[in-house]
Amino acid sequence: MKYEYCKTDFIYEISRSDSSVQSGSVFDSTLQNTWKDALERGVFRYVLNIQHSKILEGKFSFVAQLNTDRALKRRAPEEITSLTQPFDHDRFNFTKIDETEILFELRRKCDTSTNRHCVIINESPLEFGHCLLLPTRLNCLPQIATQYSLQLAIEVMLLSSNPAFRVGFNSLCGYASVNHLHYHGYYLNYSMLLEHISVQHLSGPCFILVNYPAKGFVFQLPSDKRPETLARDVFKLTNFLVCNNVAHNIYITRGTDFSSSHTNSKICNTVRVYVWARKSSSGAKQNDAFNPAICELFGHLSVKTEAAYWSLTEEQVVEMLNDVCEGPFGQVTDSVKELFED
């Protein structure tokens, strides 16, 4: 199955008032229907079963979900030793998946190249619709964000009209479990703080997130509404981090414009892209509750055990996020400011 799109399909402003996860654009319907069909066919490692969900008490409104199946039944992550570890054809990669795992091929109508992008299931889902976007799957690129793939991920976000849809990327040494270029997509039906939190200008198009335990960098869809402009700006930062051997995570979400004073607005009028410089996952403090990967930095905590879920507090989460991000953020901020002053 193929899903083809062009720029006229992009949706730049959506309402938060639609509380139904299973709704949205033609893209949303395509993703949700193929994902549910795969679920019925038994393609996943387990049937998604989030045993409990809650918002942790405190000012950051962290969302905690108990998903013991993901902790126990997912494929063992690949051993990652370097941020620039080469692609290895002999290890598991997405050319080795079964055809039943492919939901659909994704293609820009105006793209004259032979690039083939796939959307496949994440066989160990953490939420409804959890899928993987595989840019140029057969090119066998390592898990390093390219400007082209960032633009594709942003365009996928613009194809969805559901405010619950999110896209994320874990770098190598940032909890990526497969060294083959991929982005995560899924639906999280909560209004999240980072959709509207205030940010501070750093330089050029780059802003910083400081009133939050996981300090990081953030960009938004520019006034020209061109996803290629946003992708170029984000790539400028991620490429700098790769060149300086700094692990990182990227999260793409709908939200309010940085200049908006209406934090509780029901309208999402931009796309926000968060980039966190972070400690290598091999050097991060281990936690029985959750792994501090991309979703957790955003405030969505997939908790491993029932004991950890019931005892988890905002203070514990704040400590973990600070430990992961504060040092690397402080070390690179001045250089990032200079990077965008040109």
Side-chain angles (χ1 to χ4, degrees):
M1 178 180 178
K2 291 184 179 180
Y3 181 90
E4 295 187 324
Y5 70 93
C6 60
K7 291 181 179 181
T8 57
D9 296 313
F10 295 159
I11 303 159
Y12 296 104
E13 189 171 285
I14 61 176
S15 172
R16 276 204 190 101
S17 59
D18 184 0
S19 59
S20 172
V21 171
Q22 299 187 43
S23 65
S25 63
V26 174
F27 171 82
D28 291 302
S29 297
T30 302
L31 173 56
Q32 293 171 16
N33 290 337
T34 55
W35 192 86
K36 288 186 287 186
D37 178 65
L39 195 64
E40 292 172 0
R41 289 186 282 110
V43 180
F44 293 81
R45 284 181 175 248
Y46 54 82
V47 175
L48 179 65
N49 177 26
I50 296 173
Q51 296 99 316
H52 299 282
S53 295
K54 63 182 177 182
I55 297 176
L56 296 186
E57 184 177 342
K59 64 180 181 179
F60 297 112
S61 300
F62 295 125
V63 174
Q65 295 182 318
L66 178 61
N67 184 350
T68 56
D69 284 332
R70 182 166 169 81
L72 298 173
K73 299 180 181 180
R74 66 181 300 194
R75 181 190 297 112
E78 180 178 342
E79 183 180 350
I80 304 296
T81 58
S82 166
L83 202 68
T84 55
Q85 189 165 310
F87 181 91
D88 188 339
H89 290 270
D90 294 329
R91 295 190 177 188
F92 173 79
N93 63 74
F94 298 119
T95 66
K96 298 183 179 184
I97 61 173
D98 192 274
E99 289 294 312
T100 59
E101 297 181 44
I102 299 175
L103 300 179
F104 52 90
E105 287 190 8
L106 187 68
R107 181 179 177 274
R108 299 179 185 139
K109 291 178 183 177
C110 57
D111 192 344
T112 57
S113 71
T114 58
N115 290 331
R116 296 180 63 186
H117 316 304
C118 280
V119 177
I120 70 170
I121 65 165
N122 186 314
E123 62 176 7
S124 302
L126 61 79
E127 250 293 3
F128 175 74
H130 192 179
C131 62
L132 299 177
L133 169 65
L134 310 179
T136 59
R137 175 175 70 118
L138 300 180
N139 288 4
C140 297
L141 299 175
Q143 182 66 351
I144 298 174
T146 63
Q147 184 171 329
Y148 182 90
S149 69
L150 283 164
Q151 181 177 334
L152 186 67
I154 294 163
E155 290 178 352
V156 166
M157 175 62 69
L158 290 171
L159 291 172
S160 172
S161 65
N162 192 315
F165 186 65
R166 329 282 178 160
V167 176
F169 176 93
N170 294 316
S171 81
L172 299 178
C173 299
Y175 279 105
S177 59
V178 179
N179 187 16
H180 190 173
L181 183 58
H182 66 284
Y183 291 74
H184 293 263
Y186 70 103
Y187 294 86
L188 177 66
N189 196 25
Y190 286 86
S191 179
M192 301 295 288
L193 177 62
L194 266 56
E195 294 173 8
H196 56 75
I197 194 171
S198 61
V199 296
Q200 297 178 17
H201 185 242
L202 183 64
S203 64
C206 185
F207 290 69
I208 51 176
L209 172 66
V210 292
N211 299 318
Y212 186 74
K215 293 179 173 62
F217 305 93
V218 56
F219 304 82
Q220 66 178 348
L221 198 64
S223 57
D224 66 9
K225 302 293 186 183
R226 290 162 61 91
E228 54 266 44
T229 304
L230 178 55
R232 180 201 64 203
D233 295 337
V234 175
F235 176 72
K236 191 172 185 178
L237 173 57
T238 60
N239 186 57
F240 165 83
L241 296 175
V242 171
C243 291
N244 287 276
N245 200 35
V246 180
H248 51 280
N249 304 97
I250 307 168
Y251 201 96
I252 307 173
T253 184
R254 295 282 185 164
T256 55
D257 187 277
F258 295 165
S259 63
S260 174
S261 60
H262 305 291
T263 58
N264 294 318
S265 171
K266 292 183 178 180
I267 300 298
C268 296
N269 58 359
T270 195
V271 171
R272 292 185 172 207
V273 181
Y274 288 91
V275 180
W276 285 279
R278 48 94 40 80
K279 280 185 178 179
S280 169
S281 51
S282 62
K285 186 186 298 181
Q286 296 303 304
N287 187 290
D288 292 335
F290 60 87
N291 292 330
I294 182 54
C295 298
E296 290 73 20
L297 297 184
F298 182 69
H300 172 210
L301 317 170
S302 183
V303 184
K304 304 174 190 177
T305 68
E306 191 159 349
Y309 175 83
W310 293 115
S311 63
L312 190 63
T313 65
E314 181 179 84
E315 290 74 19
Q316 291 173 307
V317 179
V318 167
E319 180 183 0
M320 172 61 76
L321 299 188
N322 273 327
D323 176 69
V324 170
C325 295
E326 189 166 23
F329 174 79
Q331 291 164 10
V332 303
T333 299
D334 287 345
S335 297
V336 172
K337 183 178 181 180
E338 292 179 7
L339 186 69
F340 287 99
E341 283 177 344
D342 297 337

